[in-house]
Amino acid sequence: MPVIMGTAGHIDHGKTTLIKALTGIDCDRLKEEKKRGITIELGFAFLDLPGGARLGVIDVPGHERFVKNMVAGASGVDFVLLAIAADEGVMPQTREHLEICTLLGIRRGLVALTKADAVDADWLEMVEEDVRGALAGTFLDGAAVLPVSAHTGAGLDALRAAIAELAAHSPAERPADLFRLPVDRVFTMRGHGTVVTGTLVSGRIGEGEEVVLFPGGLRTRARGLQSHGQPVTEAPAGRRTAVNLAGLEVEDVARGQVLARPGTLFPQTLWDVELTALASAGRDLKHRKEIHLHHGTREVLAKVLLLDREALRPGETALCRLLLPEPMPGVYGDRVVLRSFSPLRTIAGGRIIGPHGRKLRRGDQGAMERLRALAGDDQQAVLAAQLALAGPGGVSLAELRTMCALEARALEKLMQQMCSQGAAYLVDKDERVHVAGEVMEALMAGALERVAAFHRAEPMKQGILRGELASSWGRGLSERLAHFVVERLVRRGELVAEAETLRLPGHSVSLAADAERLRAALEEAYRQGGQTPPNLKDVLDPLGVAAKDAAPVLRLLQEAGVLVKVKEDMYFHAPALDALRARVVAFLEDKGEMGAADFKTVSGLSRKYLIPLLEQFDKERLTVRVGDVRVLRRKEK
């Protein structure tokens, strides 16, 4: 995989001149840069190494005013070439650039003592000793320190050899399948249109592919590609890449946006981060402090939300949140740098551990435990914590790719393993949405408790209707998730499904002796009544039972399919109603339509029963009224 080398160092310490001497490429491309002799914007070059490999080079500005460009350039860098002028030694921006590289996770590099021809041997030896002392305790502690002169060429061969050696042992740690190109330049090329450039930090892009600009979601196509100044049909991670965007004007694109494939990034306004305050910060970083946030090639004003303290002291590391002014696309492991609002200086940095920040209460120890898991090295623990923080809403597989440091195949394999262990559940196969095992167990326990509560409140009912359970316990859940939970409980035998009714396995309706006698009396009275059932009051009065006391038993008889309620106080024995229904169907199939008089002839019933029964058959969707007659309702296919 291609490797990127970035430069760092104080203004006028010869970085750009050194890169030109090494590569033959002048990274100062702006007139103002030529005039003032300093680098203002990022510069780009490449160095051909022995064996045919090509090293990408990013030259960053050293002046304090342009540190934001240095941060942008350092994103995606694999190792750094720190330039220190032999005639000046370590300077303020030398230290700040070194700190920024540390915060951005750069762990390899070497030092070029530039302008070695401007000092004598004794001075050079003294400066080298001072430099090694200044680098003690940093990631460059023990790194090669090589005196060079871009003007005379002294030391350049040794520097090239050291760079080649470092490049060979600097494996780029980038997911190979999540394409991201943070945009650092936007311009127009005659005959081509709008072009963006950036360091391809992960994945690869092919000519003609559809791409999206995040944030904003503007879709376009990679009409053409260049890498290191040469046209290519495909560019891999680690390459300086120019993309010709189809159908867009320069005004449509801004530095700081990220080019990616559709449906792969998910901009958010809240990130969880592991943040370290620089020991040299000088003052505490306080809760809700507004800062300049640098992420990739983007700089915004954001707020730091401290979760377990009121202030982050210099040198301390803590789990924090970043409140962003607008949705921004982050990926697990991305590095961020924080600079104070005033005076403008680097104060902290770290990495994103939760690019999909969820609402949390300060002091929530359970949430803090999950955030600590996100900051760990156990990939399964990271995924489990991400799912747990997502709650019942779950997370799609596409979102999970941005929430861990795994490639797609490795992620799918691990998720299958977690599902087999009960640590996760695939609740939506179409959208590939997963829910944490602990969340699923809580949902199932909640559903069972709701059914149990229903049994306690309605002991005379067989169970709760599915729709009623969904509208009470399942309120706020997606329809698919609620269905998934119920079906899983049914498969596990913890719920019993009877048509649209759900009950606990141990629940059965038991009547006291008096209620059982009433049930038997009611069933017998309506069985004998047949197609001319008695009035309910006429049945209850001889028994000395009030209608309200008989209501639970009547409801039970309906649920058991013994009685059918046609209207208030009018019940039919179910077999008698079945017989009437069969006559109606036979008549309509023969004649096509039926009026009230026809029904009277067919049934032999009085008007007392005719109209309620006709309306009952309409309600059952057996018949439909057309004017003054009924016809059979066509069955829906």
Side-chain angles (χ1 to χ4, degrees):
M1 183 176 288
V3 176
I4 296 286
M5 179 183 77
T7 67
H10 189 71
I11 183 175
D12 201 30
H13 274 206
K15 298 187 301 299
T16 302
T17 304
L18 177 60
I19 295 303
K20 184 177 181 181
L22 286 170
T23 67
I25 299 172
D26 186 355
C27 291
D28 280 346
R29 57 184 176 81
L30 301 179
K31 290 182 179 179
E32 187 180 354
E33 292 176 336
K34 300 287 188 184
K35 180 180 178 181
R36 297 171 61 182
I38 62 172
T39 301
I40 298 173
E41 286 283 357
L42 295 171
F44 309 103
F46 56 85
L47 178 62
D48 289 324
L49 301 175
R54 176 167 281 185
L55 175 75
V57 180
I58 299 179
D59 183 30
V60 300
H63 194 285
E64 195 280 332
R65 285 177 52 199
F66 310 123
V67 169
K68 69 176 183 179
N69 287 326
M70 190 270 163
V71 175
S75 300
V77 163
D78 297 299
F79 69 91
V80 66
L81 173 62
L82 179 64
I84 301 176
D87 58 348
E88 288 190 331
V90 175
M91 298 293 282
Q93 267 67 59
T94 310
R95 299 183 187 279
E96 184 169 20
H97 279 210
L98 194 58
E99 289 177 333
I100 291 172
C101 289
T102 302
L103 295 175
L104 288 170
I106 299 172
R107 296 293 178 263
R108 302 177 183 87
L110 70 168
V111 180
L113 280 183
T114 60
K115 306 182 183 182
D117 58 318
V119 298
D120 59 30
D122 290 341
W123 181 271
L124 190 61
E125 184 179 347
M126 182 184 69
V127 170
E128 183 175 343
E129 186 176 341
D130 288 343
V131 166
R132 293 189 184 280
L135 298 178
T138 74
F139 73 92
L140 289 180
D141 192 350
V145 180
L146 304 169
V148 296
S149 171
H151 297 292
T152 67
L156 291 183
D157 288 342
L159 180 59
R160 287 192 187 94
I163 290 172
E165 176 69 16
L166 197 54
H169 295 88
S170 296
E173 299 172 355
R174 304 183 183 94
D177 57 355
L178 185 61
F179 163 65
R180 285 194 300 159
L181 182 83
V183 175
D184 53 38
R185 288 178 61 202
V186 186
F187 55 92
T188 299
M189 284 185 65
R190 183 176 297 176
H192 294 276
T194 301
V195 176
V196 298
T197 66
T199 302
L200 212 164
V201 296
S202 64
R204 57 183 59 242
I205 180 66
E207 189 177 59
E209 286 194 45
E210 184 180 13
V211 290
V212 179
L213 282 163
F214 293 97
L218 197 61
R219 294 199 174 207
T220 180
R221 182 173 52 83
R223 185 161 61 183
L225 300 172
Q226 279 195 6
S227 184
H228 297 310
Q230 299 296 320
V232 293
T233 57
E234 184 179 75
R239 289 282 181 88
R240 284 297 306 171
T241 305
V243 185
N244 181 199
L245 300 179
L248 296 185
E249 302 296 328
V250 170
E251 296 77 19
D252 297 328
V253 190
R255 174 192 168 114
Q257 288 185 293
V258 180
L259 206 60
R261 289 192 178 87
T264 60
L265 296 183
F266 306 90
Q268 305 290 330
T269 56
L270 197 62
W271 289 343
D272 294 313
V273 295
E274 183 183 43
L275 207 60
T276 299
L278 290 175
S280 61
R283 62 178 64 179
D284 294 350
L285 178 58
K286 295 182 178 179
H287 176 57
R288 299 196 69 84
K289 180 72 174 177
E290 191 170 45
I291 47 84
H292 289 269
L293 169 69
H294 297 268
H295 169 254
T297 57
R298 188 86 181 274
E299 177 193 4
V300 296
L301 290 177
K303 285 185 178 179
V304 178
L305 307 179
L306 303 176
L307 297 173
D308 60 354
R309 64 196 74 195
E310 291 302 318
L312 185 64
R313 297 183 176 87
E316 286 185 342
T317 297
L319 301 175
C320 311
R321 320 200 86 184
L322 293 176
L323 182 60
L324 311 174
E326 62 177 319
M328 290 172 54
V331 172
Y332 183 90
D334 280 0
R335 293 285 171 166
V336 296
V337 170
L338 277 56
R339 307 194 80 215
S340 58
F341 191 79
S342 180
L344 192 60
R345 59 166 299 174
T346 305
I347 55 172
R351 64 188 178 114
I352 299 174
I353 56 173
H356 293 238
R358 316 287 178 172
K359 289 184 178 179
L360 299 178
R361 296 190 312 274
R362 291 189 78 195
D364 184 337
Q365 292 305 310
M368 289 302 296
E369 283 299 319
R370 294 182 181 111
L371 290 180
R372 279 190 276 272
L374 294 183
D377 298 324
D378 186 325
Q379 293 174 330
Q380 182 166 327
V382 168
L383 287 173
Q386 299 283 25
L387 289 170
L389 287 167
V395 186
S396 70
L397 202 62
E399 291 173 310
L400 277 174
R401 288 182 66 191
T402 69
M403 299 166 74
C404 67
L406 293 172
E407 295 182 1
R409 288 185 181 178
L411 173 60
E412 290 184 22
K413 183 177 180 180
L414 185 53
M415 289 308 302
Q416 289 172 0
Q417 179 181 329
M418 290 177 67
C419 287
S420 68
Q421 297 168 347
Y425 289 85
L426 177 61
V427 299
D428 186 334
K429 291 184 179 179
D430 294 336
E431 299 296 327
R432 306 183 79 182
V433 173
H434 291 77
V435 168
E438 63 183 85
V439 173
M440 180 59 65
E441 292 299 327
L443 288 173
M444 290 192 289
L448 291 174
E449 174 52 35
R450 178 66 188 91
V451 176
F454 181 86
H455 288 330
R456 292 192 293 270
E458 301 282 357
M460 299 298 292
K461 287 192 173 184
Q462 293 287 359
I464 187 172
L465 293 174
R466 287 176 179 266
E468 187 176 346
L469 180 62
S471 63
S472 54
W473 156 81
R475 184 179 301 168
L477 300 181
S478 70
E479 185 177 338
R480 285 196 175 188
L481 178 58
H483 178 76
F484 182 93
V485 173
V486 169
E487 291 307 307
R488 185 158 191 85
L489 287 170
V490 170
R491 287 197 301 273
R492 284 168 50 160
E494 296 182 55
L495 274 184
V496 176
E498 296 168 336
E500 288 302 304
T501 301
L502 298 165
R503 64 174 175 84
L504 296 179
H507 176 74
S508 62
V509 178
S510 58
L511 298 173
D514 290 345
E516 177 58 35
R517 282 194 292 272
L518 176 59
R519 185 203 66 76
L522 286 168
E523 182 175 356
E524 179 61 19
Y526 283 100
R527 185 188 66 77
Q528 290 185 6
Q531 295 179 9
T532 55
N535 185 282
L536 179 62
K537 189 174 186 299
D538 295 337
V539 177
L540 296 179
D541 282 351
L543 298 173
V545 178
K548 66 176 183 178
D549 296 326
V553 178
L554 285 164
R555 191 162 55 238
L556 179 62
L557 287 168
Q558 291 176 77
E559 290 177 354
V562 174
L563 297 183
V564 177
K565 184 177 181 180
V566 172
K567 73 170 195 172
E568 195 65 34
D569 292 343
M570 182 180 286
Y571 295 83
F572 274 77
H573 196 233
L577 192 61
D578 289 341
L580 279 171
R581 194 181 291 110
R583 288 189 214 169
V584 170
V585 170
F587 183 90
L588 287 173
E589 286 178 342
D590 181 40
K591 305 296 185 181
E593 62 182 34
M594 180 176 68
D598 297 324
F599 184 43
K600 183 176 181 179
T601 301
V602 169
S603 64
L605 298 177
S606 67
R607 186 174 179 83
K608 172 184 175 181
Y609 300 109
L610 288 178
I611 302 305
L613 282 171
L614 287 171
E615 292 176 348
Q616 173 68 18
F617 294 148
D618 290 344
K619 187 168 64 176
E620 293 176 358
R621 302 179 70 81
L622 175 70
T623 59
V624 60
R625 182 172 179 173
V626 180
D628 293 329
V629 299
R630 258 80 177 179
V631 298
L632 282 176
R633 184 183 290 270
R634 293 180 180 178
K635 292 183 178 180
E636 297 178 357
K637 295 182 179 180

